[in-house]
Amino acid sequence: MREEATLLPERSRAATVPGIVWIAAAVLACLAVFILNGRPLFYFDTGGYVAQGRVALTQLGWAEPPAVPSAGGAGGAGDMAGAGTVDGSRSAVYALVAGVLSRLGFLEGLIALHIAAVLLTVWIAARAVLRGTGAALPPVVAVPVIAACLGALPFYTAYLMPDTLAAVMILALSVLAAYGRTLRPWETVLLIAIAGFAVVSHLSHLAIAALMVPVALVVSPVLSLRRWWLPPLLVLLVVGVGYGERQALRVAARAVAGSEVVIKPYITARLIQDGPGWAWLERHCPDPAIATCALHEALTKSDDPMRFTASHIVFQTSPELGSFRRLPPEDQNRVARAQMDFFKAVLTEAPLATTLAFVRNMLIQTTMFSVDMTLPSASIVEGAKAVPGSAFGLEAGRLTADTGYLAWLTPLQALVYGVSLLAVAMLVVRPGRLSPAMRALALAVIAGILANALVCGGISQPATRYGARVIWLLPLIATLLAMAAARGAGRVAEGAGRA
């Protein structure tokens, strides 16, 4: 007996070695694009996050060295001008993290943050799915992550933007929806913490999380009426974290700077490009009582049809394409503050046209998943030269010098996503392979991907960046569920349920 006791630690250590190797392989797969490129990937807004975070640190008492870039970001996707306002379009939390890492001279720490969030969330998902099977967790965590790296994941972990956290949040909320009743308390707390950080890392994440609440409300009682309210409540708690952060930002802006938080008029621009918003303005303007009529007047000063593109409306400053940012600061803020009233007015007068426009944009967004927007263009690289705190430098790397490989990479990744979606569908509909909770997890993840498409395509603008940031969940969830099915996890779960 004593001999067996002395052997156990050695067995445990021996079992740990392959586990470390598996996790190291997953980390290496996530770092593949960063290694191949020789430096991180970044976007116009990367500099904006850094500048906003560094300014916040200065206000908190951490003295700022000279030469801080403009808070407008590394390329002109600037903030709204005007005294007494704070642009709330970017996440203050993610900006603060970026600011700290920039001050420490290692902005690439964001890559480590992205990878850690992915691995931790997949680890808890694997624990929930394989509970009771005795399966070794490291390979069940690592293999799905490596499968996801055949898609867009390594491009997004290397991307100094909060986009990776959108998929992390969807996966975390899906696990809460499907397994919220059976998670260990510490697993629930950790998942809520991860999802909570993710939801405050980008404005769009709060809207996606809100759309996941009805998903949980449908999934939970179908699985079981016992404590059916708990999973939706957990998802709602994450939404509450996001809502609380927005309110805290408003309070802090008033207290510290005497300013009001204003968000760029993304919804207004989207409605104008889609048609119902412009038709409404044509019927009601000019009218000094309607704030958005100032934007209508600005749009009539050019005849370039591209001026109606949502991104041009919000960001462009040229006479041909610019409108919103060519307005006086006071009018910019009035238009921005009025965007929800404008949305309600347009929806009330043209409910069918507005709804169809959102649905059309969502469907378009689901077909857009190339990683091209993670690769900085020449203008983005030029704008990033002033951004401080990167150990490797925000410059063009090996993968961004010549992007011709996208011609074969994008179809190859599309094949990976198509096969993954087909595999998920077959696993879900095939009797006996998966437990009801596993099926619910798969469907919740797909619902989250569609919610991302609705929010980003419908409210902002369909773009490959928005689709690719979450589509890697398909190979990940397909591989995780296939491994669970191979290990008989579904039968174990059903047996435990009958017992």
Side-chain angles (χ1 to χ4, degrees), residues 23-279:
I23 298 302
V27 172
L28 192 62
C30 289
L31 287 170
V33 167
F34 174 69
I35 294 169
L36 290 172
N37 193 50
R39 57 190 74 250
L41 305 176
F42 49 95
Y43 193 57
F44 286 114
D45 275 352
T46 299
Y49 280 109
V50 171
Q52 183 176 328
R54 290 171 73 105
V55 168
L57 290 173
T58 301
Q59 292 174 336
L60 293 172
W62 189 347
E64 170 64 63
V68 183
S70 164
D79 295 334
M80 291 173 293
T85 63
V86 172
D87 189 350
S89 304
R90 292 192 199 97
S91 161
V93 174
Y94 195 84
L96 195 61
V97 173
V100 169
L101 291 171
S102 172
R103 289 284 188 93
L104 296 175
F106 193 63
L107 189 57
E108 290 77 8
L110 289 171
I111 298 173
L113 174 67
H114 299 160
I115 294 173
V118 170
L119 290 176
L120 279 173
T121 308
V122 176
W123 176 54
I124 298 176
R127 286 179 59 89
V129 168
L130 290 159
R131 202 179 307 281
T133 65
L137 279 177
V140 183
V141 173
V143 174
V145 171
I146 293 170
C149 288
L150 297 175
L153 177 56
F155 286 86
Y156 279 86
T157 51
Y159 195 39
L160 302 184
M161 290 285 287
D163 295 70
T164 308
L165 299 173
V168 166
M169 182 190 71
I170 289 171
L171 180 58
L173 295 180
S174 298
V175 174
L176 288 173
Y179 290 94
R181 282 181 290 257
T182 59
L183 292 171
R184 305 286 187 264
W186 67 266
E187 292 170 339
T188 302
V189 171
L190 184 55
L191 263 190
I192 290 174
I194 294 170
F197 176 74
V199 80
V200 301
S201 68
H202 194 271
L203 188 61
S204 68
H205 298 181
L206 178 57
I208 296 167
L211 290 174
M212 292 295 286
V213 174
V215 174
L217 280 169
V218 171
V219 162
S220 182
V222 169
L223 289 175
S224 174
L225 291 177
R226 184 179 66 87
R227 294 195 301 165
W228 67 267
W229 46 267
L230 182 58
L233 184 64
L234 296 175
V235 175
L236 190 61
L237 179 60
V238 174
V239 176
V241 171
Y243 178 78
E245 184 267 345
R246 301 308 301 179
Q247 296 308 308
L249 177 62
R250 296 180 189 280
V251 171
R254 291 194 200 101
V256 175
S259 300
E260 181 184 357
V261 175
V262 180
I263 297 169
K264 292 185 181 76
Y266 297 114
I267 298 176
T268 297
R270 184 71 255 163
L271 288 168
I272 290 173
Q273 178 175 343
D274 289 337
W278 181 249

Side-chain angles (χ1 to χ4, degrees), residues 410-426:
T410 301
L412 183 61
Q413 290 182 333
L415 178 62
V416 170
Y417 302 142
V419 170
S420 300
L421 183 59
L422 181 61
V424 170
M426 291 176 64

Side-chain angles (χ1 to χ4, degrees), residues 308-356:
F308 288 111
T309 304
S311 57
H312 291 165
I313 292 172
V314 176
F315 296 118
Q316 268 287 344
T317 58
S318 68
E320 297 78 21
L321 299 177
S323 52
F324 172 70
R325 292 194 63 201
R326 294 182 63 81
L327 292 172
E330 298 77 12
D331 285 342
Q332 288 188 38
N333 292 322
R334 287 179 63 235
V335 171
R337 285 194 294 266
Q339 65 180 313
M340 289 310 298
D341 290 335
F342 179 66
F343 169 70
K344 293 172 187 174
V346 173
L347 182 64
T348 300
E349 282 198 14
L352 182 59
T354 305
T355 302
L356 288 177

